[in-house]
Amino acid sequence: MSLNEAVAERLHEMSKLLELLGENQFKAIAHSRAARVLESLPNPVENMDKAALTALDGIGDKIADKILEYCASAAKGKPRIFEHEQMLKAVPPGLLDILDIPGLGPKTVRAMWQDLGITDTTSLKKAIDSGSLLKLPRMGEKAVEKIKSGLALGEEATRRIHLGLAYPMALRIAEELRSVEGVERVEVAGSLRRGRETIADIDLLVMVRDFEGVAPKLRSAKSPAPKATGENPAKPAPAKAKSEDAPHPVIEAFCSLPDVRQVISKGPTRASVRAVINLHSGRWKGGGPDEHPKEPTMQVDVRVIPERSFGAALMYFTGSKDHNVVLRQRALAQQQTLNEYGLFPEDENQTPPQDRGIRPVASKTEAEIYKALGLPYIPPELREFPADIANIEKLGKAPALIELADIKCDLHAHTTDSDGRMSMRELVENAIKRGFHTIAVTDHSKSSAIANGLSPERLRAQIKAVHNLNKALKAEGLDIRVLAGSEVDILSDGTMDFDDDLLAELDIVVASPHAALSQDPATATKRLLKAIAHPHVHIIGHPTGRLINRRAGLDPAMDELIAAAKEHNTALEINAHWMRLDLRDIHVRAATAAGALIAIDCDDHETSDFENLRFGISTARRGLLTPELCINAWPREKLLKWLKSKR
Ligand SMILES: [Zn+2]
Ligand SMILES: [Zn+2]
């Protein structure tokens, strides 16, 4: 963490503490404002003097002193702000956890503390259970329900990690393991391979060359017997000796990776550890300090698997559990046994077949196991939904789900004109790098003041700039089209944040809800239906506005929205950012079934956001989306024709 971030974190906390202490609200706001100024400061704060600090918009005299105090004490190795320490002494630390519960403001939390003696989430739960929370002013049954669901979300956040944080971590560890001598292949299994939006732990399977040769003593009673080599067919593994417990070199290498903080268990061919999650430093800070402990870790399991049973292990450890249950039952109905070592002929013997030298019917690849079970290959993303097995069997093959390579454009992106970090030119260069034929510039509209939304005048100037950029790109011989667009706020009553005549001047309109996200379902449905039916709107951006583990968002009647989207030829977005993934998989399923159009966009604010596309794709695949219904997979001419049909 940079010093800028460290001071900002302190100031944010001071702001919360001030509110909990019932101090002047403006003082609290000033602290969080100064914190945000520091977060977006490109230069190291330790290089600044008081004059430079107070010259920044949003940092006053007193707060500048506190920043200087922190920097000076940090230089001596003991970073502190005296006032911050005093405040921490006056407030029970558990109150800050309560303040982090989505939907709870400082006034309410202060009342809980002062009137009911609630000091942490445990005493809050007690007050909910006993009903004493209802004694607070303006605290009704509904509000209590909200707090309860907020508490559940908070606990979820500590248990399950965002897909976008677990994925790069798994890739990094897999890469490290690939460099270990004798490793042939490393695969991610588990919920990460199925593309779930949150991940409890990371499962990695390692295939090694010469499984028995590298570590001849690795065979335990449980591991598969070696393949018969022409001499004696393999016998059951020998009795366990102490040296058998010596871990495989891959396991030793894994447990000594620099990111590993704790080895939970270590055996000859498997280990479980807790390893550090690298939080993102950009927008949302990857779940941020309010959602994770200081150095967040997550569990990573590694198993060493011989080539001959790799497919069976990959299938077994990919899950889902429900999927595996259906497959095992199917195997039994065919007089076969399916386990993590392979698909074997069923017999009456109590000892597992792999321990008796029985040759599996299939075990090397997943495809051959599915085939032996009389099934088409089932993509990992669909293994979450056991009912898909029967449907795919009926079809004879899995639907041709959309892939990363199918995406040819991004239709939702921000520039420095609103809250993005890329200039329009940088945005275009990123799109070219990815082989896109089109990129849309969709900055925020005027009501999104915090995001520096554009006024009609600024938007008109931007439209001109886009036209000029297109001319310049053409002159340079670059085959990319920039669309002049806007991410227009859908106001709480469903009207658009810009007039119709301005919207008509744009090539593309993404309409998104940003405020009033706790509306009741009926109002939210009406609001979104109005936006879908608007003649100039092409795409509904992040339709519910949810943030995973943080904010529930709108809860509209999705079937009505989907029917309207189909009727009005409006696309519904899968926002690919891993904090959003909105639409979610089940909504995409409903939309796909109804034949509604889907957009998969990265909502790019910075270069790294383009990488999130894979998470949008995994959500789309879980939703059974094929390229035909995805406007981002269309050729340019088809896309432009569709855009024009709304003009
Ligand atoms: Zn948005
Ligand atoms: Zn956006």
Side-chain angles (χ1 to χ4, degrees), residues 412 414 444 487 512 514 542 580 603:
H412 180 171
H414 299 268
H444 287 285
E487 182 183 12
S512 312
H514 288 114
H542 48 75
R580 292 194 183 274
D603 196 353

Side-chain angles (χ1 to χ4, degrees), residues 156-403:
E156 170 90 357
T158 59
R159 266 205 322 272
R160 301 191 64 92
I161 304 298
H162 288 97
L163 176 61
L165 294 177
Y167 181 82
M169 183 172 164
L171 281 197
R172 204 175 58 239
I173 295 175
E175 210 39 58
E176 302 255 23
L177 295 179
R178 278 189 193 104
S179 67
V180 177
E181 168 74 25
V183 169
E184 301 250 281
R185 191 175 158 195
V186 182
E187 289 292 335
V188 175
S191 51
L192 194 51
R193 184 163 179 243
R194 302 198 305 274
R196 274 194 65 161
E197 61 195 34
T198 57
I199 308 295
D201 48 32
I202 295 173
D203 292 290
L204 293 169
L205 301 186
V206 181
M207 187 201 282
V208 290
R209 195 164 49 232
D210 191 15
F211 183 80
E212 282 76 22
V214 171
K217 294 169 193 120
L218 287 176
R219 260 177 288 140
S220 72
K222 272 192 176 168
S223 68
K227 213 185 273 177
T229 51
E231 298 167 45
N232 280 343
K235 285 185 187 131
K240 260 191 168 186
K242 248 193 176 166
S243 57
E244 278 183 35
D245 293 324
H248 191 282
V250 172
I251 295 298
E252 291 292 11
F254 168 57
C255 290
S256 46
L257 287 177
D259 284 353
V260 170
R261 287 293 172 274
Q262 184 198 348
V263 176
I264 302 166
S265 67
K266 182 158 94 171
T269 59
R270 59 160 296 177
S272 287
V273 306
R274 289 202 74 86
V276 184
I277 305 166
N278 284 339
L279 297 181
H280 291 230
S281 54
R283 204 164 38 120
W284 289 320
K285 301 213 157 172
D290 53 335
E291 276 176 39
H292 295 287
K294 284 285 174 280
E295 193 185 46
T297 61
M298 81 180 289
Q299 185 171 331
V300 186
D301 297 342
V302 164
R303 292 176 180 82
V304 179
I305 313 280
E307 183 182 5
R308 63 170 178 277
S309 60
F310 199 80
L314 189 55
M315 183 182 245
Y316 182 86
F317 290 110
T318 295
S320 66
K321 279 203 178 85
D322 292 341
H323 182 82
N324 289 351
V325 165
V326 174
L327 292 190
R328 276 204 299 276
Q329 284 166 348
R330 191 182 173 94
L332 283 177
Q334 300 171 355
Q335 275 83 50
Q336 303 188 95
T337 297
L338 179 64
N339 63 25
E340 61 186 282
Y341 302 101
L343 180 67
F344 297 90
E346 168 76 345
D347 57 29
E348 301 294 306
N349 201 309
Q350 292 299 302
T351 311
Q354 69 273 8
D355 293 342
R356 290 181 278 125
I358 308 274
R359 288 263 199 126
V361 178
S363 62
K364 239 179 157 175
T365 69
E366 288 186 330
E368 78 183 26
I369 298 171
Y370 279 114
K371 199 174 166 203
L373 287 169
L375 285 172
Y377 177 78
I378 298 177
E381 295 91 343
L382 301 186
R383 299 185 201 169
E384 198 73 39
F385 311 89
D388 284 354
I389 299 174
N391 294 333
I392 290 171
E393 188 181 11
K394 240 180 267 163
L395 286 170
K397 62 173 183 201
L401 301 180
I402 192 155
E403 291 174 15

